[in-house]
Amino acid sequence: MTTVLRAHAEDQYAEELAILAKDDDRARPPGWKLSPWAVTTYILGDGDRITPKYIGPRRIVEVAVATLATDRALLLLGVPGTAKTWLSEHLAAAISGDSTLLVQGTAGTAEEAIRYGWNYARLLAEGPSLEALTPSPVMRAMAEGRLARVEELTRMPSDVQDALITVLSEKTLPIPELNREVQAARGFNVIATANDRDRGVNDLSSALRRRFNTVVLPVPATAEEEVDIVSRRVGQLGRSLELPETLTGLEEIRRVVTVFRELRTGVTEDGRTKVKSPSGTLSTAEAISVVTNGIALAAHFGDGVLRPSDVAAGIVGAVVQDPVSDRVVWREYLETVVRERQDWRDFYRACRDAG
């Protein structure tokens, strides 16, 4: 695993999962590796041996875990960057021990990604057979009693989405070519994610939506919570990428988070000044990316200390998605808000230079 850039959750946190499994004496739903209580502890941490994977309201995680213990599928809904994919991966790792049964939704996703496909060389040579059939991740999850993950569900065409209806309602996947079916083993369920911003792209049918229990993942409630999330993830990414040691002061992270939150909400931290919001989402995930990139700059091209000049270019790139309208929004924010903060003068100059 030392050559893998990003290990799967069940591999990266195998030691923590083993600790929880050893001490877990609570009831486990059929097919689960851990009890719902232990899964929640794995996700939120215990303040000691188990590190938190998701920082947010405990009740949200409890509802998500409880849903997966029933016959209803789970839909994680939220704006970009609210850790929907991250949470779905860790839920699958803790419950099934396998987070790799994944369908990535796009406009070009075909129905075979949900149902099954064929090895056409064998199909032409031998005709329809089990050996010629290529199971989808969903079919494999059904047969093995594991969780299947469907990312960006609303980006899939509607007819592909509806291929899930029979799977979720009947827990069966028919194979008419072979006159047989695959029935879901105990432990099977589906975790899907969808983006709030994609409403209207390929809305879920009412029949499909009824088969999901929807859990909305919020943006971090406070600046301190978001700073904590960014700090933790930046540290994890730095170790994973083996970046040189850098003095990462919370001051620069706090600045990045403050800028993103103010532009996202349209008002300054003190509530006194309204600002225009750019076209981008300015999510927590983007803040993590900006700070990580800044650390790489500081480590390889600076003096090893994260400074305003290291994060300025990343912030400008994240904010200015539209070169016309967003540039106006950024300049106005820079001159009316950032420039007036006495302890932000070095940050203001760095952003001006970067722009």
Side-chain angles (χ1 to χ4, degrees), residues 112-130:
E112 287 81 0
I114 301 294
R115 293 167 55 80
Y116 53 85
W118 296 97
N119 179 330
Y120 287 103
R122 299 197 68 163
L123 183 65
L124 292 172
E126 306 168 7
S129 66
L130 279 177

Side-chain angles (χ1 to χ4, degrees), residues 191-213:
I191 308 175
T193 66
N195 188 336
D196 261 357
R197 293 284 183 101
D198 285 344
R199 287 178 180 172
V201 175
N202 291 302
D203 286 338
L204 302 183
S205 66
S206 58
L208 183 56
R209 188 175 286 275
R210 283 198 306 270
R211 285 153 175 86
F212 282 101
N213 186 27

